[in-house]
Amino acid sequence: MDRLPRIGLGWDRHALAAGHTCKLAGLEIDCPVGPVGHSDADVILHALTDALLGAAGLDDLGTLFADTDPRWKDAASTDFLAAAVGLLADSSLRVISVDMVVVCDLPRLAPHRGAMRANLARLLSLPVNRVNLKGKTTEGGPANASAAIEVHAIVMLKDVTPSGGCA
Ligand code: MG
């Protein structure tokens, strides 16, 4: 097996609606609307987890944690991320860099960006300067754009197989 770095891309989109907790990057954000979903609908963690799984050549989030499976009803998406990181470790892969773009009109990301980066870094056991996240508004995009949140994530993994190993 080669030891070249691996790149993974993840994307997710959830509708936003009143009365739903706004859980993003593992943090509860004070916002009048929140993502709608089967789990806690943390769209940032979903895109990130899919990017990690993709880079490792593993099944995607929807296959591992189907939104039709009652086991994952209201599940914490931090558990999905932790499971993916565990699968990476099983494959002797470690995440070294994350970048993300979050597209939404609500909530405003800027006041929460630092805390989100710090929490993602904590969840991935990375220094904060290896995890980035930018908020973008739709700037008058589609009429229903403000009713959804969309996330793009890209990650880089490195192979940490011990020298002489055969994993
Ligand atoms: Mg999702």
Side-chain angles (χ1 to χ4, degrees), residues 12-14 43 46 61:
D12 199 16
R13 186 177 196 271
H14 282 242
V43 61
H46 292 183
L61 185 72

mmCIF file of all heavy atoms in Angstrom, residues 12-14 43 46 61, ligand 1:
data_model
loop_
_atom_site.group_PDB
_atom_site.id
_atom_site.type_symbol
_atom_site.label_atom_id
_atom_site.label_comp_id
_atom_site.label_asym_id
_atom_site.label_seq_id
_atom_site.Cartn_x
_atom_site.Cartn_y
_atom_site.Cartn_z
ATOM 1 N N ASP A 12 -23.151 18.445 2.436
ATOM 2 C CA ASP A 12 -24.465 18.112 2.990
ATOM 3 C C ASP A 12 -25.329 19.364 2.991
ATOM 4 O O ASP A 12 -24.818 20.502 2.979
ATOM 5 C CB ASP A 12 -24.349 17.554 4.399
ATOM 6 C CG ASP A 12 -25.597 16.787 4.829
ATOM 7 O OD1 ASP A 12 -26.417 16.427 3.950
ATOM 8 O OD2 ASP A 12 -25.766 16.547 6.034
ATOM 9 N N ARG A 13 -26.605 19.161 2.993
ATOM 10 C CA ARG A 13 -27.569 20.264 3.004
ATOM 11 C C ARG A 13 -28.776 19.824 3.805
ATOM 12 O O ARG A 13 -29.264 18.694 3.632
ATOM 13 C CB ARG A 13 -27.990 20.591 1.565
ATOM 14 C CG ARG A 13 -28.885 21.818 1.412
ATOM 15 C CD ARG A 13 -29.140 22.051 -0.087
ATOM 16 N NE ARG A 13 -29.664 23.378 -0.355
ATOM 17 C CZ ARG A 13 -30.955 23.708 -0.357
ATOM 18 N NH1 ARG A 13 -31.868 22.774 -0.100
ATOM 19 N NH2 ARG A 13 -31.327 24.936 -0.624
ATOM 20 N N HIS A 14 -29.219 20.681 4.727
ATOM 21 C CA HIS A 14 -30.431 20.405 5.495
ATOM 22 C C HIS A 14 -31.352 21.619 5.437
ATOM 23 O O HIS A 14 -30.873 22.768 5.419
ATOM 24 C CB HIS A 14 -30.108 20.117 6.965
ATOM 25 C CG HIS A 14 -29.593 18.737 7.209
ATOM 26 N ND1 HIS A 14 -30.240 17.825 8.014
ATOM 27 C CD2 HIS A 14 -28.497 18.094 6.751
ATOM 28 C CE1 HIS A 14 -29.560 16.691 8.055
ATOM 29 N NE2 HIS A 14 -28.481 16.825 7.293
ATOM 30 N N VAL A 43 -25.279 19.483 10.310
ATOM 31 C CA VAL A 43 -24.892 19.405 8.900
ATOM 32 C C VAL A 43 -23.377 19.601 8.728
ATOM 33 O O VAL A 43 -22.776 19.026 7.803
ATOM 34 C CB VAL A 43 -25.726 20.436 8.099
ATOM 35 C CG1 VAL A 43 -25.468 21.844 8.589
ATOM 36 C CG2 VAL A 43 -25.515 20.332 6.619
ATOM 37 N N HIS A 46 -21.860 16.302 9.530
ATOM 38 C CA HIS A 46 -22.184 15.321 8.492
ATOM 39 C C HIS A 46 -21.257 15.481 7.287
ATOM 40 O O HIS A 46 -20.720 14.495 6.766
ATOM 41 C CB HIS A 46 -23.640 15.472 8.036
ATOM 42 C CG HIS A 46 -24.640 15.091 9.086
ATOM 43 N ND1 HIS A 46 -25.998 15.098 8.862
ATOM 44 C CD2 HIS A 46 -24.461 14.700 10.376
ATOM 45 C CE1 HIS A 46 -26.623 14.718 9.971
ATOM 46 N NE2 HIS A 46 -25.715 14.476 10.907
ATOM 47 N N LEU A 61 -21.549 8.301 4.948
ATOM 48 C CA LEU A 61 -22.328 8.484 6.179
ATOM 49 C C LEU A 61 -23.710 7.868 6.073
ATOM 50 O O LEU A 61 -24.196 7.214 7.000
ATOM 51 C CB LEU A 61 -22.431 9.987 6.475
ATOM 52 C CG LEU A 61 -23.112 10.388 7.775
ATOM 53 C CD1 LEU A 61 -22.232 10.060 8.969
ATOM 54 C CD2 LEU A 61 -23.435 11.878 7.771
HETATM 55 MG MG MG B 1 -26.999 15.279 6.897
#
